[in-house]
Amino acid sequence: MSRYTGPSYRKSRQLGISLSETGKEMKRAYGPGQHGQARKGKPSDYAIQLKEKQKLRFMYGLNERQFHKTFVEAGKMSGVHGTNFLILLESRLDNLVYRLGFATTRKGARQLVNHGHITVDGKKVNIPSFRVKPGMKIALKENSKDHKAALDALAKVNKRVEYVTFDENKLEGTYVRYPERNELNMDINESLIVEFYNK
């Protein structure tokens, strides 16, 4: 299944969650389209699990193959499978570029990485799925430090997550540590995703 490239607000309302984690999409509490407010029957367990999986997949902007590959990798780590899965998703380069404020959306962050504007520990990395480890530094490439879209996005940042730090003068951020589960989206029930894939 390919990556979703349609309207993000529509998808947020369909899944009942703010995929950007800003809440802007949820001004209307019902689904999109003329039947958005129609009452539906009770969903099956499978439907509930599938919806939870789709919430997380669309939130991070992955296709099904990438998403499942990361899930399998998380299962090989010690600790809680679901929590490890969320941490691996959060440690992707495109996500951390978004968390640092270089872009206002994960889609925009992925584009910055793809176009070669981002460095990790001083080396250009143009792979959005690159796994960032704690202590690594993420910055705009030297000749991209006047990138208008990135600078505009940085100007809009009010607050960053606690597991990253940012140097305004160097335009450089650091992934300080892996996040704790309570620092990640509490609207996601990762145990349902584990159940979905383990059937």
Side-chain angles (χ1 to χ4, degrees):
M1 186 181 291
S2 61
R3 182 180 291 112
Y4 178 74
T5 57
S8 59
Y9 277 32
R10 182 182 181 86
K11 185 58 69 175
S12 290
R13 287 175 58 200
Q14 180 187 339
L15 295 171
I17 187 173
S18 172
L19 296 177
S20 69
E21 300 180 85
T22 62
K24 292 178 180 178
E25 308 100 317
M26 306 308 293
K27 290 180 180 178
R28 297 175 184 170
Y30 52 88
Q34 64 178 341
H35 303 295
Q37 298 185 70
R39 296 187 67 175
K40 298 178 181 178
K42 184 179 179 182
S44 65
D45 289 345
Y46 174 81
I48 292 170
Q49 293 163 2
L50 174 63
K51 184 175 181 180
E52 207 65 23
K53 184 207 59 143
Q54 297 296 65
K55 283 181 186 178
L56 195 62
R57 186 169 78 82
F58 286 117
M59 184 176 291
Y60 285 93
L62 275 64
N63 62 37
E64 180 60 35
R65 184 178 179 183
Q66 290 174 310
F67 192 76
H68 185 252
K69 182 180 177 183
T70 306
F71 177 84
V72 171
E73 188 177 345
K76 296 175 182 176
M77 298 165 60
S78 61
V80 180
H81 192 165
T83 303
N84 289 339
F85 184 39
L86 293 176
I87 290 172
L88 288 183
L89 291 172
E90 197 66 19
S91 299
R92 286 172 55 97
L93 178 58
D94 55 356
N95 177 72
L96 288 169
V97 167
Y98 166 69
R99 292 294 192 198
L100 288 167
F102 288 122
T104 55
T105 63
R106 287 188 178 92
K107 193 180 290 185
R110 186 176 302 111
Q111 191 174 44
L112 272 181
V113 176
N114 276 330
H115 291 184
H117 296 296
I118 299 297
T119 64
V120 177
D121 286 347
K123 297 178 182 177
K124 185 179 83 170
V125 179
N126 59 4
I127 303 169
S129 62
F130 177 85
R131 186 73 42 75
V132 182
K133 295 178 181 176
M136 287 184 168
K137 297 184 184 298
I138 301 166
L140 284 173
K141 200 171 64 172
E142 196 59 41
N143 60 3
S144 298
K145 291 198 171 178
D146 59 350
H147 192 284
K148 187 178 186 305
L151 296 178
D152 288 347
L154 286 169
K156 295 175 183 175
V157 175
N158 292 321
K159 187 179 179 181
R160 292 182 175 87
V161 290
E162 294 185 4
Y163 42 92
V164 301
T165 58
F166 190 74
D167 187 324
E168 301 281 355
N169 297 319
K170 294 182 179 179
L171 297 181
E172 177 183 87
T174 304
Y175 188 29
V176 180
R177 58 175 173 80
Y178 291 124
E180 301 289 334
R181 176 61 187 96
N182 60 9
E183 294 175 303
L184 301 175
N185 196 306
M186 300 307 291
D187 291 329
I188 296 294
N189 184 347
E190 64 274 18
S191 64
L192 291 175
I193 303 170
V194 174
E195 290 172 14
F196 175 87
Y197 280 123
N198 286 343
K199 280 189 173 181

